[in-house]
Amino acid sequence: MSPTDLKNILPLELPGENKISPLLLHAPELLAPAGGIEQFFAAIHAGADAVYLGLKDFNARRRAQNFDVQELGTLVAYAAQHGVKVLVTLNVLIKEAEFARITPLLEEIMSAGVYALIVQDLGLAYFIKTFFPAIRMHASTQLAVHNYEGVVKAYELGFSRVVLARELTILEISKIKKKLLAEHIPVELEVFCHGSLCYSYSGLCFFSGSEGGRSGNRGECAYTCRKPYKILSEPGHGFLFSMKDLSTTANILDLVKAGVDTLKIEGRKKDAQYVMSAVRIYRQKIAEVSPPKAPICEAEEVCAPPKSAIGEAEGILAKRNIQKDLMLSFSREFTSLFVNNRYHENVIDLNNPTHLGMKIGAVEKITGEKIACTLLDDVEVYDGIRIEPQAKNFHALPQHGSQSLTPETLTRSQEKYAGNALEFSLRDMWHENKKIFRAQKGQTVFIAITSASRQAKIGDTVYKTRSVELKQIAEKLSKPQGDRVKKVAAHVHLRFIVAQAKDQLSVHILGMRQQEQFFQSEEFWPLIKSEQSSLKEILTKEFSYHGTTEMSCTVEVEGKTDFFIPPSQLKKIKRTLAQNLREALDQFGQARQARIESVYKERKQKSFEKKIAATGKLALKTDQIAHLKSMLQEPDFFSQSKIAELVFEPKRSQFKISDTHLVINTLKTIAHDLGIPIRIALPMVFRVWDKPFLLHFVQKSLDIGVNLFETANIGGFELLKQVSKEHNNWGISTDFSLYALNSYTFQQFAELGVTRATFSVEDDAKNIMDILSAWPRAAGIESQLIVFKDIPLFVAESCSLTALHNGCPGSTVCGYRSLEIEDEAGARYTVAHEACRSVVYSKEPFSLAGHRHLDVPDQFDWYRFDFLTRQYSWNQVKDIIHGALEHKLMPSSHTANVYKELL
């Protein structure tokens, strides 16, 4: 359905205005995760419209089971039989040397007939758009698209759908969709509706990569947000960044009314039971507010039957409590996040970072290795049981006062993070001195404890974490249904154009893979008239599958079809055609590979021919007005420090829009009186409420002659367009957060008009040098390396202060105070609060000062010093820069992954 069609049937009212009949609402697609083959089948049989999965390499869940690329064709064929699409995730950043493996991978993905690729890397997107234009691309949530401007730019970069950042409210989504429809921009919107949440904006988490070399942007997240942390600046301890799980079951109507095209369930590292349960509940909720795809059960909280027949399991599923099943699958405490608004609820669970299940009672008595419990729900042998202490695993000053933390509290949270919980599979159970296999709600039972991780205590809470019955149902859904699954290596569209040529049939055969024609031939077949059979029926039946080449074909026949072909002749034609198609596909791929290699070789040659000694100029970036004033007081600073450019990032947390003129006048004086070029940096995140401030500041900057700007997100390109149509004359640079780990990304930047691009602070030296060897110098783009910075490990809307206060207390109470924290290994960090946005950085800054083989002046065009978020004194700024100029190693600093390998 086109956006115009959707506009006609879906008036975009604000959430809460429930005036639209459910029958007029367009049902969004339900997209389910598949981390393995069991989850794949479970998603399809439970009622998903589409499934997304990852391959063994190049995906953001590398530690999931994942799939071999050779399996894709068969999976796509099975899904197609059930009316389900298959999407593949290539949603990681790709290093320069890894592109050698990308081309053959994309060839196989195309052959498999995959519906779309989910992509994060802008270089990969550029590569696909240039060399594989038939592939449909969806912008991953890892691209951190969080505003209308980002959606528009993603569309211009070749993306057909954008997966929006989870942090957006329904009102923001609604406004984005409404504006897209008004501007006739046919890009789809996808939002997460359920599953685990990252503390940081997805794609803007640099904690795992910078601190441990395992980049979340490369599928190697170390889950540092699930660790317990001790607060040093005030009494406190707990899982400060551990998010609750997203659930929007109560918000589906508003999401549908907002114009969302696809609802996405997170969970490629979770099992088939989770996938089945989550798909079932959202299948029901969608059906309740839009035309149902299956009959709805009358009982409240009970699921609709799945789309596909699943035998015995179908009847059992229809009788089960859907919410209960979801709790018995992997889940934490639920939150709607910011769907309603930013201050609606506390979204962090200070007490628990993992799955708890459903409460079924409390420990009432302990006899040896048995506990007594009066059940709040049914249990049976082999169900999962977890016993949790009554005492909390966290301490918060606003909730618990200033009393000292006990060692026991700290130990409990560390043990919970390490997985040392009192958890076991129920093996033995007694009721009224009789051993039983099943117990009903209300019965008092004795349960044998089979875990020795810790002792249970009277009053501890008993949870049921798993249901053996639900597991058995999930197992039935996790297998292929119906006929034997044919193995498919490639999906091809065959077009036969039939015409009579004297005493023969002239048959033109065209072979298409997705939208690419790779094969063409003309054959002459015997002319045998037939009134009983149709050539169209014969060709469709015989050529739909080629067993020898494992090729599945859709067949189209044009022209006269009242002919017959003898079986012996048909068999020969089919065998020959199958072989020719296979060879043609291989040759087509080889020709493309040769073209790609030629283009890359030419770029490297031009890079070598045009290489000149880099200027090695220095830039200083700050967000502190005090630094600007100090520069005016020390006009010799720039000549002494050799700083050739000042980059200023305006922040709403630093000054009000009414004070803009004071800051602008200071920048004007620095530019005019001291002769220092000024560049205005747009932040990594700017939501709709940030835009008036930014647009005003950019316009005032233009008024004083500033025409240099920096963007840290793809939305920044579009925001600058909104200020002036003369932006083509501006000098635009990109910041490190625009994910550049390969020369294709920098080539994309150059074609966007970027004049300077910054390397990622997560990157390693070898990859940086590989990129420089293929740098697009012919495009005139300059290179920039950050040599000093407090890397923003987390950039988040989720607020630890809200968690500590158990709800947002307002700025007058929280004071936007910073928190000094420490992990179990003694590493220290600061949680800064820039208004209601949290930024976490390490006690030790990133510094390359003194590391000569990277900071020598002929390697890079620009070197930049960043002084953001942390409150540096002016003397500290000068000391750091002067020390770097003298090539002194900076004490108490780190080099991230520069001298290691970025995983």
Side-chain angles (χ1 to χ4, degrees):
M1 179 174 290
S2 71
T4 303
D5 295 332
L6 181 58
K7 185 177 180 181
N8 291 334
I9 67 167
L10 180 57
L12 291 177
E13 301 178 71
L14 295 183
E17 298 180 2
N18 300 324
K19 300 176 182 177
I20 306 175
S21 166
L23 295 178
L24 295 179
L25 292 173
H26 169 63
E29 175 186 77
L30 181 58
L31 178 60
I37 193 66
E38 293 181 352
Q39 295 92 319
F40 175 81
F41 289 124
I44 291 174
H45 299 148
D49 298 306
V51 175
Y52 67 102
L53 53 86
L55 304 177
K56 298 293 186 184
D57 205 358
F58 302 124
N59 88 85
R61 294 292 182 269
R62 287 193 179 184
R63 295 172 190 268
Q65 179 184 343
N66 294 316
F67 297 86
D68 291 317
V69 69
Q70 292 79 13
E71 298 178 82
L72 275 183
T74 304
L75 297 176
V76 169
Y78 185 86
Q81 292 173 9
H82 296 77
V84 174
K85 303 170 186 172
V86 175
L87 289 70
V88 169
T89 59
L90 290 183
N91 56 341
V92 292
L93 303 182
I94 300 173
K95 290 184 176 182
E96 186 73 10
E98 292 171 342
F99 264 88
R101 309 204 307 272
I102 286 294
T103 301
L105 185 66
L106 291 176
E107 291 288 354
E108 294 206 58
I109 287 173
M110 280 197 69
S111 291
V114 166
Y115 177 68
L117 291 184
I118 302 172
V119 175
Q120 174 191 14
D121 193 300
L122 293 176
L124 176 60
Y126 174 83
F127 184 86
I128 292 172
K129 187 177 180 180
T130 303
F131 299 112
F132 293 85
I135 293 180
R136 176 184 168 97
M137 292 190 295
H138 294 177
S140 169
T141 191
Q142 293 290 116
L143 263 172
V145 177
H146 56 272
N147 47 42
Y148 169 79
E149 289 75 17
V151 174
V152 171
K153 180 51 68 174
Y155 174 69
E156 291 177 359
L157 292 174
F159 292 102
S160 301
R161 181 188 297 175
V162 175
V163 187
L164 295 173
R166 292 170 171 90
E167 287 79 1
L168 295 194
T169 66
I170 289 179
L171 186 57
E172 286 177 282
I173 297 169
S174 177
K175 287 184 175 181
I176 290 171
K177 186 66 174 186
K178 198 169 186 178
K179 196 167 183 180
L180 291 172
L181 293 173
E183 298 295 327
H184 303 290
I185 300 174
V187 61
E188 299 171 4
L189 298 182
E190 177 176 308
V191 301
F192 279 92
C193 63
H194 192 88
S196 298
L197 292 167
C198 301
Y199 173 75
S200 182
Y201 278 92
S202 293
L204 298 183
C205 173
F206 300 97
F207 206 139
S208 180
S210 298
E211 294 291 293
R214 286 177 51 184
S215 174
N217 288 315
R218 299 259 302 152
E220 293 287 351
C221 178
Y223 300 100
T224 49
C225 58
R226 299 297 178 187
K227 286 184 176 182
Y229 292 87
K230 180 180 179 181
I231 304 175
L232 304 176
S233 52
E234 63 186 56
H237 183 86
F239 299 96
L240 298 179
F241 311 119
S242 185
M243 300 289 288
K244 300 175 183 177
D245 277 5
L246 177 65
S247 173
T248 62
T249 55
N251 309 102
I252 296 302
L253 176 60
D254 288 337
L255 286 168
V256 172
K257 289 173 64 178
V260 171
D261 296 286
T262 297
L263 293 173
K264 183 175 191 175
I265 299 169
E266 180 277 340
R268 282 192 292 127
K269 289 187 70 177
K270 295 171 184 173
D271 63 16
Q273 179 179 311
Y274 165 88
V275 173
M276 176 193 73
S277 301
V279 169
R280 285 170 55 224
I281 194 167
Y282 284 94
R283 179 82 281 144
Q284 175 193 344
K285 295 299 180 181
I286 291 171
E288 287 175 355
V289 300
S290 57
K293 298 191 175 185
I296 305 300
C297 301
E298 295 181 0
E300 186 179 356
E301 300 283 292
V302 177
C303 73
K307 289 193 300 184
S308 305
I310 52 172
E312 179 186 350
E314 181 179 6
I316 299 173
L317 278 172
K319 299 175 182 178
R320 294 188 61 84
N321 184 302
I322 193 168
Q323 287 285 9
K324 189 185 297 185
D325 285 353
L326 199 58
M327 292 176 68
L328 294 173
S329 306
F330 186 96
S331 63
R332 302 173 181 89
E333 184 180 346
F334 288 130
T335 174
S336 62
L337 194 59
F338 307 123
V339 164
N340 295 296
N341 62 61
R342 293 173 73 203
Y343 311 106
H344 180 68
E345 58 186 294
N346 171 30
V347 300
I348 295 172
D349 188 347
L350 295 171
N351 195 57
N352 175 62
T354 189
H355 172 59
L356 271 182
M358 182 175 63
K359 181 180 177 181
I360 59 169
V363 177
E364 301 166 2
K365 186 177 180 181
I366 301 176
T367 304
E369 297 299 317
K370 302 176 186 176
I371 62 164
C373 173
T374 300
L375 297 175
L376 300 176
D377 198 74
D378 300 347
V379 295
E380 63 180 301
V381 172
Y382 299 117
D383 281 350
I385 300 295
R386 185 184 183 107
I387 301 175
E388 284 285 305
Q390 270 190 312
K392 295 292 185 183
N393 299 306
F394 75 97
H395 179 96
L397 174 64
Q399 296 183 50
H400 306 124
S402 58
Q403 67 264 32
S404 300
L405 288 169
T406 64
E408 182 184 2
T409 306
L410 300 175
T411 302
R412 274 201 308 271
S413 60
Q414 290 168 354
E415 287 180 346
K416 182 179 278 287
Y417 175 71
N420 298 328
L422 183 49
E423 189 169 9
F424 54 90
S425 174
L426 176 57
R427 297 303 172 95
D428 295 300
M429 177 171 55
W430 295 263
H431 173 61
E432 296 180 348
N433 296 320
K434 292 181 181 180
K435 194 169 185 179
I436 57 175
F437 295 97
R438 290 183 180 84
Q440 295 180 337
K441 176 181 177 180
Q443 290 182 327
T444 299
V445 297
F446 280 85
I447 295 173
I449 297 176
T450 58
S451 171
S453 60
R454 71 171 184 84
Q455 295 294 316
K457 295 181 179 179
I458 301 294
D460 284 356
T461 306
V462 182
Y463 291 90
K464 178 179 173 180
T465 59
R466 292 284 172 175
S467 163
V468 66
E469 181 185 20
L470 186 61
K471 180 182 178 183
Q472 291 168 351
I473 297 172
E475 288 173 350
K476 292 179 181 178
L477 267 71
S478 303
K479 299 173 183 177
Q481 306 291 323
D483 297 335
R484 181 178 65 88
V485 179
K486 291 181 179 179
K487 189 173 182 182
V488 177
H491 291 268
V492 170
H493 178 73
L494 287 180
R495 184 182 177 196
F496 294 87
I497 305 173
V498 182
Q500 185 173 340
K502 295 184 179 179
D503 58 347
Q504 299 182 94
L505 284 180
S506 168
V507 183
H508 286 267
I509 306 174
L510 303 179
M512 305 284 293
R513 185 180 58 177
Q514 296 196 11
Q515 298 175 18
E516 290 185 340
Q517 180 180 318
F518 68 92
F519 177 81
Q520 178 175 341
S521 73
E522 182 180 11
E523 299 186 10
F524 293 93
W525 297 352
L527 180 63
I528 304 174
K529 281 278 188 178
S530 173
E531 295 181 0
Q532 284 76 35
S533 61
S534 164
L535 187 59
K536 182 175 182 180
E537 294 174 359
I538 294 171
L539 295 179
T540 300
K541 178 181 177 181
E542 293 297 328
F543 287 82
S544 62
Y545 182 73
H546 300 266
T548 54
T549 57
E550 297 176 349
M551 192 174 293
S552 174
C553 303
T554 56
V555 178
E556 177 185 1
V557 182
E558 297 180 14
K560 299 190 69 175
T561 62
D562 54 340
F563 300 101
F564 171 75
I565 301 177
S568 58
Q569 183 106 18
L570 187 63
K571 185 176 181 181
K572 181 180 178 181
I573 292 171
K574 180 178 179 180
R575 184 171 58 249
T576 302
L577 180 59
Q579 187 62 38
N580 291 342
L581 287 172
R582 183 69 267 174
E583 291 176 358
L585 263 182
D586 293 341
Q587 292 169 5
F588 192 81
Q590 291 165 8
R592 182 175 3 228
Q593 177 71 45
R595 186 167 77 255
I596 291 170
E597 291 175 356
S598 175
V599 171
Y600 185 71
K601 182 178 180 181
E602 181 181 358
R603 174 146 51 86
K604 291 194 74 169
Q605 182 63 31
K606 287 182 178 179
S607 178
F608 177 78
E609 290 172 354
K610 292 182 174 289
K611 184 173 182 180
I612 58 175
T615 55
K617 295 179 182 178
L618 304 183
L620 184 156
K621 182 176 181 180
T622 182
D623 59 2
Q624 297 178 38
I625 299 172
H627 292 169
L628 304 182
K629 295 178 179 178
S630 296
M631 293 171 190
L632 291 178
Q633 294 169 2
E634 297 185 34
D636 294 336
F637 163 73
F638 289 100
S639 60
Q640 294 173 357
S641 64
K642 301 181 182 179
I643 295 295
E645 180 179 274
L646 171 63
V647 185
F648 181 71
E649 181 175 324
K651 293 181 177 178
R652 288 174 61 242
S653 60
Q654 298 284 357
F655 58 93
K656 299 177 181 178
I657 193 170
S658 58
D659 296 328
T660 298
H661 68 284
L662 299 175
V663 181
I664 289 294
N665 286 337
T666 304
L667 291 172
K668 180 179 178 180
T669 303
I670 293 173
H672 292 185
D673 294 2
L674 304 183
I676 300 300
I678 304 295
R679 185 180 297 271
I680 302 303
L682 302 180
M684 281 189 281
V685 176
F686 59 92
R687 302 284 285 276
V688 66
W689 47 83
D690 297 312
K691 277 182 58 179
F693 171 81
L694 287 174
L695 289 171
H696 180 73
F697 197 92
V698 169
Q699 184 59 63
K700 293 299 180 183
S701 299
L702 288 169
D703 292 344
I704 63 169
V706 171
N707 65 351
L708 301 176
F709 297 93
E710 176 185 275
T711 180
N713 185 278
I714 62 172
F717 291 103
E718 193 66 21
L719 183 77
L720 292 173
K721 280 185 185 180
Q722 296 177 15
V723 181
S724 172
K725 295 181 180 179
E726 306 299 324
H727 63 275
N728 290 331
N729 298 322
W730 300 347
I732 298 180
S733 63
T734 60
D735 204 3
F736 76 96
S737 55
L738 267 171
Y739 323 109
L741 288 190
N742 55 72
S743 61
Y744 288 101
T745 303
F746 290 103
Q747 181 68 39
Q748 173 70 90
F749 290 159
E751 295 189 16
L752 287 173
V754 171
T755 56
R756 187 190 308 168
T758 307
F759 281 89
S760 169
V761 291
E762 285 192 315
D763 209 349
D764 57 55
K766 181 183 182 305
N767 191 56
I768 290 173
M769 294 306 167
D770 286 345
I771 294 172
L772 285 176
S773 72
W775 188 262
R777 297 183 190 281
I781 188 171
E782 294 180 314
S783 60
Q784 179 165 264
L785 184 73
I786 295 175
V787 293
F788 180 86
K789 184 177 186 65
D790 291 295
I791 298 175
L793 305 177
F794 289 143
V795 178
E797 300 293 345
S798 307
C799 180
S800 294
L801 294 179
T802 296
L804 293 174
H805 286 268
N806 196 28
C808 178
S811 59
T812 56
V813 176
C814 79
Y816 299 133
R817 67 185 185 276
S818 293
L819 300 174
E820 304 300 322
I821 64 174
E822 180 180 77
D823 68 12
E824 76 284 355
R828 296 190 174 185
Y829 308 93
T830 297
V831 186
H833 295 97
E834 298 181 340
C836 291
R837 188 163 294 142
S838 302
V839 180
V840 178
Y841 58 87
S842 173
K843 178 183 178 182
E844 298 182 344
F846 166 81
S847 175
L848 295 180
H851 298 276
R852 296 297 298 270
H853 78 278
L854 266 186
D855 68 1
V856 289
D858 64 345
Q859 290 285 4
F860 301 90
D861 298 300
W862 287 85
Y863 297 86
R864 200 179 77 198
F865 298 85
D866 287 9
F867 301 95
L868 306 170
T869 306
R870 193 199 298 258
Q871 298 300 301
Y872 285 94
S873 71
W874 182 239
N875 285 333
Q876 286 176 313
V877 171
K878 293 189 294 183
D879 290 345
I880 289 168
I881 295 175
H882 290 147
L885 291 174
E886 296 171 5
H887 299 288
K888 293 181 180 179
L889 290 172
M890 182 176 178
S892 301
S893 64
H894 68 90
T895 57
N897 304 302
V898 171
Y899 302 108
K900 301 180 290 187
E901 179 186 4
L902 174 64
L903 298 177

